[in-house]
Amino acid sequence: MFQSFESHSSPDQGPPRLALLRARLAEMGLQGFIVPRTDAHQGEYVAPRDERLQWLTGFTGSAGFCIVLPDRAGLFIDGRYRTQVKAQVDLAAFTPVHWPEVQPGDWIRNNLTAGLVGFDPWLHTADEVEKLEKALKDSGAGICPTRTNPVDQIWLDQPAAPLGRVFVQPEALAGESHGVKRRRLAEALRQAGQRTAVLTLPDSICWLLNIRGADVPRNPVVHGFLLLHDDARAELFSTPAKFDAAVRAHLGPEVTLHPPEDFSSALRGMTGPVRVDKGSAPLAVANILREAGVEVQWGDDPCRLPKARKNAAEIAATREAHLRDGAAMVEFLFWLDREAPKGGLTEIDVVQALEGFRRATNALHDISFDTICGAGPNGAIIHYRVTEQTNRPVRAGELLLVDSGGQYADGTTDITRTIAIGDPGDEARECYTRVLQGLVAISRLRFPKGLAGRDIDALARYPLWLAGQDYDHGTGHGVGAFLSVHEGPQRISRLSEVPLEPGMILSNEPGYYREGDFGIRLENLIVVEEAPAMGDNRSHLGFETLTWVPFDRRLILAERLAPGERDWLDSYHAGVLKRLGSRVGADTLAWLRRACAPI
């Protein structure tokens, strides 16, 4: 099994660890310290060594941070985790803070009258630090970088740095060689008058060099830093032991490999201007360059948009990955429909069965994240992870929310289905239907070129808004091609200002959650494409659906659907049957025909 079910949260350890940290801060002459969830690569998913926030507080979410002061410790969490945090931390020691509604600078101003709050400059971007400094201007409090991380100093059994094996991503799946990619990006550097770009994001480095790794659970990336020069040469700073002869031969003579401890000295020897991404590179990178007299120019990671705009080979491979994964999901849903009425299933049973169906494809590299399987009230915990302690029976009369995905060499999948176990009642059906209508609205959408995720996010929420309901997460995130299941910069969110472009893969996942009762989320992956000409021939974009798995017809109130929604749903289900019918067993096919019957 890829997924395990032990609890990684230790709320009882929070207070003594917090006391140790405060004692260390006092020795350093600091009034506070910021403990982020991220690592030096600004990763959402981090290696065990970098789980500082979890180690200190017990909170296991994928986003957030803690600001420790002498008399209080604010744990900043967004809407996805406001239910989860209550069960994972000692609320007498840590105070949950609703973020981004409350910004860290404002919170420090209100809770610290004088003194300095430290931060590790390798764990924060220049953008973050600049906003904090601006917010604290003219206050008695300030922030300052530390030479060492005080959490690392008190974490005596901190795991070692990861040493995952690096392997090659074939050009047939990547769509072009890493030499072609490097030369194209180097030309852009020359046009900008920049000598070098610093890459710090693992998925950018993996995309650029057509490699994959195993340094982070669920995400096939390698930790490292890379210098891309204007002559297309690249210097990669990563533990050499991870790279075997085949990978070194793949990289070739234009990519030189150095140990990570040489990175800082290499920065000091640079000739500027050097491009640094203000929003993703550690502040320490810019500080080292400036201290050495090297000119820094802020600019986006040059891989950011090319990586997001999948080429034809990547999209074709991703389609195949979704068909394979869709067939595994259909086998799973047939199994669940057969077994759940018998009673006796638990959330862990469901997770293990689903992983088994994916493994049976003989193509599964890993799951793309720990499966979220919430029965009844656990479905309302948006990023719920079942453990032996929380494992709940799958009971009749309840909803079961299953959000899961697979990592395959040809693509990354992410799908959510909410399933009726017995009869969950009309209220659940009404909420499910509204969520489905939101997904259909995004799926059917045509929109003018130049619009960003924020311009279309409301369309998924409109059916819920009519009923006075909403959900506290974005409608969609970007997805990589056998890379990170959460990929920027593309997303469907009120906060996203990045224009959507052809080739960008996104999730389409509206939801509704009633704490203590049930959760509903439905998710397909979609890819932006040129829309066929019509009307006055303005340039429009639309979405191609990548995910093909039936929705639970038992939860759909057909009379609430508009004719266009009903037509889309019937067409989608016909497409599921056409694409997957030959990929599943005979008994499953009979079930699939019923599941895909017209509404």
Side-chain angles (χ1 to χ4, degrees):
M1 288 290 295
F2 287 115
Q3 186 158 337
S4 64
F5 304 100
E6 69 271 17
S7 175
H8 299 307
S9 179
S10 304
D12 59 311
Q13 294 298 312
R17 290 172 178 174
L18 185 60
L20 283 173
L21 179 58
R22 283 177 170 145
R24 179 67 188 121
L25 295 179
E27 293 171 1
M28 298 171 70
L30 294 172
Q31 290 296 301
F33 189 73
I34 305 173
V35 183
R37 173 60 170 66
T38 54
D39 57 16
H41 310 282
Q42 292 300 302
E44 176 182 352
Y45 299 96
V46 300
R49 176 181 180 79
D50 297 305
E51 291 277 13
R52 297 176 182 87
L53 184 64
Q54 177 182 304
W55 179 83
L56 178 67
T57 68
F59 173 63
T60 65
S62 63
F65 55 94
C66 184
I67 302 179
V68 176
L69 300 179
D71 60 345
R72 67 199 63 196
L75 181 54
F76 289 69
I77 39 92
D78 64 35
R80 295 171 294 174
Y81 298 112
R82 288 169 191 169
T83 301
Q84 175 178 327
V85 72
K86 298 173 186 176
Q88 290 193 321
V89 308
D90 186 331
L91 297 178
F94 300 95
T95 302
V97 180
H98 287 191
W99 167 70
E101 295 89 338
V102 177
Q103 288 294 307
D106 297 331
W107 188 85
I108 293 173
R109 282 185 75 110
N110 292 333
N111 290 282
L112 185 66
T113 57
L116 292 174
V117 176
F119 67 92
D120 185 337
W122 283 102
L123 303 181
H124 298 268
T125 67
D127 215 15
E128 288 178 77
V129 173
E130 185 178 284
K131 290 176 182 176
L132 269 173
E133 290 175 336
K134 183 178 180 180
L136 294 174
K137 188 178 180 181
D138 301 325
S139 78
I143 59 172
C144 68
T146 60
R147 292 184 178 275
T148 58
N149 190 308
V151 175
D152 294 350
Q153 292 178 320
I154 63 172
W155 188 357
L156 300 181
D157 58 350
Q158 185 177 24
L163 286 171
R165 179 183 68 89
V166 177
F167 55 99
V168 175
Q169 177 71 346
E171 188 175 326
L173 297 176
E176 59 182 343
S177 70
H178 68 86
V180 170
K181 292 180 182 180
R182 287 187 287 105
R183 288 189 287 275
R184 186 170 74 249
L185 299 190
E187 172 62 23
L189 288 177
R190 290 195 296 273
Q191 291 180 3
Q194 296 165 340
R195 298 292 300 275
T196 303
V198 180
L199 304 186
T200 63
L201 299 175
D203 62 336
S204 288
I205 294 170
C206 287
W207 173 85
L208 178 62
L209 298 181
N210 288 348
I211 58 175
R212 299 295 187 264
D215 282 340
V216 179
R218 315 298 176 238
N219 293 270
V221 297
V222 56
H223 276 167
F225 300 100
L226 186 137
L227 302 177
L228 176 64
H229 300 294
D230 63 357
D231 61 359
R233 290 182 303 107
E235 296 182 75
L236 175 59
F237 298 83
S238 186
T239 306
K242 300 175 186 178
F243 297 76
D244 64 18
V247 177
R248 290 172 188 252
H250 161 79
L251 295 176
E254 292 186 340
V255 180
T256 54
L257 183 61
H258 307 277
E261 54 267 26
D262 290 354
F263 181 55
S264 294
S265 60
L267 291 174
R268 296 186 184 96
M270 302 288 295
T271 299
V274 174
R275 180 192 290 197
V276 179
D277 191 323
K278 192 176 186 179
S280 66
L283 175 65
V285 170
N287 286 349
I288 291 169
L289 289 167
R290 286 170 170 162
E291 289 167 4
V294 181
E295 180 184 354
V296 172
Q297 290 187 359
W298 300 125
D300 284 345
D301 175 333
C303 301
R304 185 171 179 252
L305 282 174
K307 171 170 55 69
R309 296 184 294 236
K310 310 297 184 291
N311 59 40
E314 290 173 312
I315 293 172
T318 294
R319 289 191 190 106
E320 176 57 29
H322 278 79
L323 293 177
R324 182 189 310 114
D325 195 71
M329 278 294 302
V330 168
E331 296 282 7
F332 159 73
L333 290 174
F334 170 55
W335 169 86
L336 183 64
D337 243 20
R338 186 182 66 227
E339 297 300 320
K342 300 176 184 177
L345 287 183
T346 68
E347 293 167 334
I348 288 178
D349 295 329
V350 172
V351 172
Q352 290 175 327
L354 177 52
E355 185 173 316
F357 286 112
R358 285 196 166 103
R359 282 181 174 274
T361 66
N362 295 317
L364 184 66
H365 178 82
D366 196 348
I367 53 177
S368 54
F369 54 95
D370 280 351
T371 296
I372 299 166
C373 178
N378 285 347
I381 304 171
I382 296 173
H383 274 197
Y384 171 69
R385 174 185 173 273
V386 58
T387 68
E388 296 286 358
Q389 289 72 37
T390 66
N391 189 26
R392 191 174 188 279
V394 176
R395 297 191 177 106
E398 295 185 338
L399 296 178
L400 178 69
L401 187 156
V402 182
D403 185 350
S404 67
Q407 291 282 12
Y408 304 92
D410 48 2
T412 300
T413 70
D414 184 0
I415 174 175
T416 309
R417 290 295 182 264
T418 302
I419 304 108
I421 308 300
D423 182 0
D426 288 341
E427 176 69 9
R429 291 187 183 88
E430 289 176 2
C431 296
Y432 181 99
T433 303
R434 293 181 194 116
V435 172
L436 177 62
Q437 288 175 305
L439 179 142
V440 173
I442 297 296
S443 302
R444 298 175 63 200
L445 186 63
R446 286 176 59 102
F447 56 96
K449 285 186 176 179
L451 295 191
R454 69 178 182 184
D455 300 314
I456 66 174
D457 177 84
L459 298 175
R461 301 175 189 271
Y462 178 65
L464 289 163
W465 286 352
L466 289 176
Q469 299 170 338
D470 202 356
Y471 50 94
D472 292 324
H473 57 76
T475 298
H477 55 81
V479 180
F482 189 37
L483 276 172
S484 301
V485 73
H486 288 175
E487 175 187 85
Q490 72 276 24
R491 55 180 173 159
I492 303 173
S493 161
R494 297 166 181 168
L495 304 177
S496 180
E497 300 178 352
V498 177
L500 299 176
E501 299 184 50
M504 290 180 169
I505 297 176
L506 301 125
S507 67
N508 172 13
E509 52 178 312
Y512 177 66
Y513 312 91
R514 187 169 293 173
E515 185 174 351
D517 196 356
F518 62 80
I520 298 166
R521 185 162 61 251
L522 299 173
E523 176 186 19
N524 282 348
L525 295 194
I526 52 180
V527 59
V528 183
E529 62 178 359
E530 300 277 353
M534 63 182 294
D536 56 6
N537 289 323
R538 292 175 183 262
S539 295
H540 277 65
L541 300 174
F543 296 116
E544 173 194 343
T545 294
L546 295 171
T547 306
W548 297 96
V549 173
F551 298 98
D552 194 335
R553 298 172 75 255
R554 298 165 298 189
L555 287 168
I556 301 171
L557 296 176
E559 68 275 12
R560 301 289 180 88
L561 300 180
E565 293 170 336
R566 185 190 297 251
D567 290 345
W568 182 91
L569 188 60
D570 284 345
S571 175
Y572 176 79
H573 278 153
V576 172
L577 185 59
K578 177 181 178 181
R579 288 168 172 83
L580 302 185
S582 63
R583 293 173 177 256
V584 299
D587 291 343
T588 306
L589 177 58
W591 176 90
L592 184 62
R593 287 195 176 105
R594 296 191 298 272
C596 292
I599 293 294

